[in-house]
Amino acid sequence: REMTMTGDVGAVLSAIGGRFAWRYWWPVIPWLADVAMVATFRQENIQEPAGVLFLVCLATVPLLWLWGARFAVALGHARRRVFPILIALSVGLPMLWQIIGSIARLAVGQGGGGHSEGLFLLYGLPIVALLMLGCALWLGYGWRGVAVAVFSWGAAVALFYLLVRPLFEGLPLVSFIVGACGVILILVGSAWGGWGGFRIARA
């Protein structure tokens, strides 16, 4: 049974990733292209590749949901098996790419290791949550689902960043911990709400 479960997970990962698993590694192409341009004739824009990597990491999430997940479901994989793998990929892949980018900056002596990961945790992952929720509800309910996703996400983020987090603004460590917990709650809420759309998603 364990071997069967492992095989099922591998098959779902393969279906979501596409041929040669390109949906997992494609961010390296625009990122390295921008690195090459900055290194050759735009040295003054040394921080630009980090921004490009941030954006392409976010763009990975809709690709996984709207293309990869639908393909996996069309192949006959159970939605209840595809969904948790999709959540893990949506959160883990962007964070992994941020770590790779940070290592690359350290390797060339730019410093700031760990800074981008912290920023992505507090500001990038809430956007990932919106993308997950919006894509999942769109798959199930169309544009009405997207409207519900944007409204509910906006209310949650506004409540947290405008009312809760400022209470701890003078305590950096506490503020970061509270922020991390808030981001986790937003992700969990988005996953919970997204299942309502994904379980009836069109293949």
Side-chain angles (χ1 to χ4, degrees):
R1 180 61 182 166
E2 185 177 347
M3 290 296 292
T4 302
M5 286 288 291
T6 303
D8 288 346
V9 170
V12 172
L13 286 171
S14 178
I16 294 175
R19 187 182 294 272
F20 306 118
W22 71 271
R23 280 186 279 271
Y24 300 147
W25 56 260
W26 77 273
V28 75
I29 298 175
W31 177 48
L32 290 182
D34 195 70
V35 168
M37 287 190 292
V38 169
T40 52
F41 57 88
R42 292 197 293 125
Q43 288 89 350
E44 69 278 4
N45 297 320
I46 192 67
Q47 299 298 327
E48 184 180 279
V52 170
L53 186 59
F54 180 89
L55 293 176
V56 295
C57 283
L58 295 178
T60 295
V61 178
L63 276 180
L64 295 175
W65 285 80
L66 302 181
W67 200 343
R70 292 178 70 180
F71 183 63
V73 171
L75 289 179
H77 295 292
R79 288 173 174 82
R80 67 180 179 277
R81 184 153 294 168
V82 174
F83 188 73
I85 294 174
L86 199 53
I87 294 292
L89 288 172
S90 298
V91 175
L93 275 178
M95 201 65 197
L96 175 62
W97 278 111
Q98 293 302 308
I99 292 172
I100 292 173
S102 183
I103 293 172
R105 288 193 297 277
L106 287 173
V108 298
Q110 284 190 32
H115 182 65
S116 62
E117 289 84 353
L119 289 177
F120 196 85
L121 172 65
L122 293 178
Y123 302 104
L125 288 184
I127 300 176
V128 169
L130 171 62
L131 293 172
M132 291 194 307
L133 182 61
C135 289
L137 294 185
W138 183 82
L139 288 172
Y141 301 104
W143 289 110
R144 289 177 301 171
V146 174
V148 170
V150 171
F151 177 80
S152 57
W153 178 89
V157 169
L159 175 66
F160 176 71
Y161 281 99
L162 297 180
L163 297 179
V164 177
R165 195 158 177 248
L167 297 175
F168 307 94
E169 204 63 50
L171 305 167
L173 179 59
V174 176
S175 179
F176 180 82
I177 294 173
V178 170
C181 291
V183 169
I184 292 171
L185 288 175
I186 291 171
L187 286 169
V188 171
S190 294
W192 178 79
W195 173 243
F198 190 76
R199 64 187 175 85
I200 59 171
R202 302 178 299 277

